[in-house]
Amino acid sequence: RQRWRADGRALRKLPVHVGLVVTEEEPSYADMASLVVWCMAVGISYVSVYDHNGIFKRNNSRLMDEILKQQQELLGLDCSKYTVEFANQDKTGQVLNCQSTLKVLSPEDGKADIVKAAQNFCQLVAQQQRTHSDLDVNMLDNLLSSTNGFPDPDLVLKFGPVDSTLGFLPWHIRLTEIISLPSHLNISYEDFFSALHHYAACEQRWGK
């Protein structure tokens, strides 16, 4: 536990929001829970879990049970409490013990959410509550429901052989660093931390 905290503090920069994107057909609840708990342990504030079939989101209680189990085993009870959210759903009411926030996403929280936001904006214009010139980046961000209250991801860890994020938050990853790993199955903490170290060493030029 002390090592994980020290690892987080030792990095030159730590992502605020990490997306964990699984492109493999058979997602592992235990391995994904390990990744989430490691994110908590090193001090990452926001974590998004995504698979392109929406398996984790449909079975979010199973994933939550595994996270709670591993978090209890690995972190103990010495962190302040926080509530875990699932995107587009009410808060679960379950409490974990670390200062992080989790959302579980599926493809409906990507392109479909952008379509819904556009429809909502058109309705506001039709009702004369907004004009077409009001639409900008901040307005669209506010209309998107799936990531309300979440910053854009600084880092996406993509797991699997597919060279694509398969619909993960297409609006939000314009400036995101994406690191590909072969698989999330049986992933080790060393693999996870190596990816964080790689991110910390990256020079982001913001399109320059």
Side-chain angles (χ1 to χ4, degrees):
R1 190 183 312 168
Q2 297 300 325
R3 174 199 169 184
W4 293 331
R5 291 175 182 166
D7 283 346
R9 290 194 295 265
L11 292 171
R12 186 167 64 86
K13 60 178 178 177
L14 188 69
V16 175
H17 178 188
V18 169
L20 304 172
V21 177
V22 174
T23 66
E24 297 158 283
E25 293 300 322
E26 296 294 332
S28 164
Y29 294 89
D31 290 313
M32 182 52 65
S34 294
L35 286 159
V36 171
V37 172
W38 293 334
C39 285
M40 297 176 189
V42 299
I44 293 168
S45 299
Y46 299 91
V47 183
S48 296
V49 171
Y50 176 92
D51 71 279
H52 65 288
N53 291 317
I55 295 173
F56 285 131
K57 187 171 181 180
R58 287 197 304 274
N59 300 282
N60 54 36
S61 61
R62 180 177 172 186
L63 177 61
M64 175 62 71
D65 287 344
E66 188 64 39
I67 293 171
L68 285 166
K69 173 186 171 184
Q70 292 198 33
Q71 187 242 9
Q72 179 80 20
E73 293 173 354
L74 299 176
L75 296 183
L77 297 173
D78 62 343
C79 294
S80 59
K81 293 181 178 180
Y82 81 102
T83 303
V84 172
E85 299 176 62
F86 292 100
N88 294 341
Q89 299 183 28
D90 293 333
K91 292 185 177 181
T92 66
Q94 291 178 292
V95 174
L96 301 186
N97 300 298
C98 207
Q99 294 176 335
S100 304
T101 308
L102 169 72
K103 284 194 176 183
V104 181
L105 304 170
S106 67
E108 69 188 43
D109 302 305
K111 292 181 180 178
D113 195 33
I114 295 174
V115 171
K116 182 179 178 182
Q119 291 172 337
N120 290 340
F121 180 76
C122 289
Q123 289 177 351
L124 292 173
V125 173
Q127 296 165 2
Q128 297 185 338
Q129 297 180 35
R130 294 287 181 181
T131 67
H132 64 86
S133 60
D134 291 332
L135 185 60
D136 57 17
V137 170
N138 292 330
M139 171 67 71
L140 185 54
D141 280 339
N142 291 333
L143 289 169
L144 293 170
S145 61
S146 61
T147 54
N148 188 27
F150 260 50
D152 289 350
D154 308 282
L155 171 65
V156 164
L157 300 181
K158 182 191 71 67
F159 303 96
V162 180
D163 191 20
S164 169
T165 55
L166 296 177
F168 172 76
L169 299 181
W171 173 254
H172 305 79
I173 58 174
R174 306 179 300 277
L175 303 174
T176 300
E177 188 73 27
I178 300 173
I179 296 176
S180 296
L181 296 168
S183 175
H184 74 302
L185 302 176
N186 300 314
I187 189 167
S188 68
Y189 173 76
E190 285 69 26
D191 292 333
F192 166 76
F193 185 70
S194 177
L196 291 185
H197 193 273
H198 178 77
Y199 165 80
C202 286
E203 181 182 353
Q204 292 171 294
R205 297 180 179 274
W206 312 115
K208 295 180 181 178

